[in-house]
Amino acid sequence: MASLPLIIKYLIVFLVSMVPIIELRGAIPIAEGMGLDILLYYPIAIIGNMLPVPIIYLFARKVLEWGKDKKYTKKFFTWCLEKGEKGGNKLKESAGNKGIFWALLLFVGIPLPGTGAWTGTLVASILNIDFKTSISAVTLGVVLAGIIMSLGSKIVAVLGWTGVIAIIAIILIAVLFSIFYKKKQHNKA
């Protein structure tokens, strides 16, 4: 990829960030791996990730509802609807109506498997969250995911995987020590 023209590298970042499931969470490490400038790849990845969101919000549920009865799409479309409804109901239960904005933002923003702009927008449309709230929460969630992925990618680039594993091990040891120390203090009382 080193021999590719710079514009093509940024185009790859843009296109990868639009792909469901991969989104900006995959595009940013790719950009880092290609040695691209964060000041350019970060907004490009966000724009690419957000471009499908209004379309997903307005049409995804309608397409899934239509396709869940068709011979070749029934299984997949039903799975998508069930996943969206299950995730949406879980989100609504934990957040309530007033906290749904923040819950959606965090759902999209914390880069875990099965979360992201596509899933978050589908959940928002299934839950009938209004367009403005949905788009705002998803946008801020994508920005948060971008920050997390950029930091993670930079840390891996600087420290290497060995350094990252060492940091995680130190954090885990500190957490375990804290838990055991508190437990010991609680038992004394």
Side-chain angles (χ1 to χ4, degrees), residues 46 59 67 74 76 102 107 112 122 138 154:
I46 288 174
F59 299 109
K74 181 179 185 171
F76 178 68
W102 295 105
F107 179 80
L112 296 170
L122 179 59
V138 170
K154 289 287 185 193

Side-chain angles (χ1 to χ4, degrees), residues 27-47:
I28 286 178
I30 289 170
E32 263 311 306
M34 290 190 289
L36 299 178
D37 181 7
I38 190 171
L39 296 176
L40 290 175
Y41 79 64
Y42 182 74
I44 289 170
I46 288 174
I47 291 167

Side-chain angles (χ1 to χ4, degrees), residues 26-165:
I28 286 178
I30 289 170
E32 263 311 306
M34 290 190 289
L36 299 178
D37 181 7
I38 190 171
L39 296 176
L40 290 175
Y41 79 64
Y42 182 74
I44 289 170
I46 288 174
I47 291 167
N49 203 169
M50 287 303 300
L51 200 60
V53 167
I55 297 162
I56 296 164
Y57 181 86
L58 296 172
F59 299 109
R61 183 181 179 103
K62 293 174 183 157
V63 170
L64 291 173
E65 291 287 348
W66 170 83
K68 74 178 184 180
D69 300 327
K70 306 300 180 245
K71 182 179 179 181
Y72 297 107
T73 58
K74 181 179 185 171
K75 195 172 188 178
F76 178 68
F77 282 26
T78 301
W79 176 82
C80 289
L81 280 168
E82 287 172 358
K83 180 176 172 41
E85 287 172 9
K86 183 180 173 188
N89 289 333
K90 214 181 211 181
L91 198 62
K92 224 172 190 174
E93 284 174 21
S94 63
N97 286 334
K98 291 186 179 184
I100 198 71
F101 174 86
W102 295 105
L104 185 58
L105 185 153
L106 291 173
F107 179 80
V108 171
I110 297 175
L112 296 170
T115 67
W118 283 71
T119 309
T121 306
L122 179 59
V123 166
S125 72
I126 288 171
L127 293 176
N128 293 318
I129 301 171
D130 70 278
F131 183 78
K132 184 179 174 184
T133 301
S134 299
I135 299 302
S136 300
V138 170
T139 301
L140 291 173
V142 167
V143 169
L144 175 61
I147 291 168
I148 292 168
M149 291 307 299
S150 295
L151 283 173
S153 295
K154 289 287 185 193
I155 290 169
V156 170
V158 171
L159 299 177
W161 282 107
T162 308
V164 172
I165 291 169

